[in-house]
Amino acid sequence: MSGEACLVLRQDPTKVAPLDRSQPLTIGKAANNKLCLPGFETVAANHAVVRFSRSHGWLVCDWGSPQGTLLEGRRFQQCRPLADGDEIQLGGQGPVLVFRLSPATAAPTAASTAAPSAAPTTPAPTGSPLSRRPAPARVAARPPAPGAVEIGGRHVALERVASAFVRSQRRYPQIFSWWALSCLGGLLLLPVPWLFWPWEVAALVGWLLLGSQKDHTLVLTLRDGMAYRQNFASKATALAHRNGIRQAIGQSLEA
């Protein structure tokens, strides 16, 4: 079903991108996106996707873009549900897309509000708030079925997987600035050597210990634009999981 929702460019309301439930709308600077925005510096090659979920309605999902995606002024990761009038901004200073529903679908019907919601038949996107529907009942964990992979406690069919990669980020990205400030502050103790040198050594040790700590995240991107993430304390473990998934889907380990 198409025509019930659309994205409107706030800077130019005459530019409208209709949404189709059966076809995710990919957004980015690359020409292969259905909504191509090549003229904006904050837009990544493959930035975000807007898709429809039977369990959660319309969703906007970030594709791990460097500048990030903001919903109603707040940056988010992975997926968030959309409501009529929500504003999606591609990067902190990027273009704003306004999500619009047709009048027939903007308000819930009496039948939909009275009937209890059914349990979702597909995994919910990691990190997305599900305030619009009651949370499904928890079930005991089971091993993944043949042809599926487990990530973040969820089982995903291999045929849905587009790619897998590991992203490593410093846990304390501002540690160098704090170390520099500590060293400058320690100069105030220079007339007192027995305090100055322990202060400088402590600052150096703190920088070396904290600066070497990283978070390693395995990111699984699906063909419908959805993404799953799982954190690992060890990079070797994260890479081992990544390589296993790539081998299962026939992707090069060097990709």
Side-chain angles (χ1 to χ4, degrees), residues 115-139:
S117 60
T121 58
T122 58
T126 304
S128 60
L130 307 181
S131 57
R132 296 182 180 179
R133 293 180 180 270
R138 296 184 178 273
V139 296

Side-chain angles (χ1 to χ4, degrees), residues 169-200:
Q169 295 179 324
R170 294 187 181 277
R171 187 171 300 174
Y172 305 103
Q174 306 298 330
I175 189 61
F176 178 80
S177 299
W178 286 108
W179 171 77
L181 289 174
S182 297
C183 290
L184 291 175
L187 292 177
L188 299 176
L189 302 174
L190 191 57
V192 189
W194 62 275
L195 286 177
F196 169 76
W197 289 111
W199 178 279
E200 294 296 319

Side-chain angles (χ1 to χ4, degrees), residues 170-173 175-176 205-214:
R170 294 187 181 277
R171 187 171 300 174
Y172 305 103
I175 189 61
F176 178 80
V205 172
W207 175 38
L208 294 176
L209 291 179
L210 297 179
S212 62
Q213 296 186 22
K214 293 184 178 181

Side-chain angles (χ1 to χ4, degrees), residues 15-103:
K15 296 183 179 179
V16 179
L19 296 171
D20 191 328
R21 288 191 178 192
S22 61
Q23 296 291 332
L25 182 76
T26 55
I27 306 170
K29 190 180 296 185
N32 61 342
N33 289 285
K34 293 186 177 180
L35 179 55
C36 182
L37 300 171
F40 298 94
E41 294 183 358
T42 61
V43 178
N46 296 285
H47 198 109
V49 62
V50 174
R51 58 184 294 274
F52 184 80
S53 165
R54 292 183 179 179
S55 303
H56 313 299
W58 289 102
L59 300 171
V60 57
C61 306
D62 180 70
W63 263 345
S65 56
Q67 297 293 333
T69 304
L70 292 80
L71 179 62
E72 291 297 294
R74 294 186 177 182
R75 185 169 179 173
F76 66 92
Q77 294 181 346
Q78 301 177 24
C79 298
R80 289 291 185 271
L82 290 169
D84 186 39
D86 280 353
E87 293 187 346
I88 305 167
Q89 187 170 15
L90 307 176
Q93 303 295 327
V96 176
L97 302 171
V98 183
F99 176 76
R100 293 294 185 189
L101 287 172
S102 65

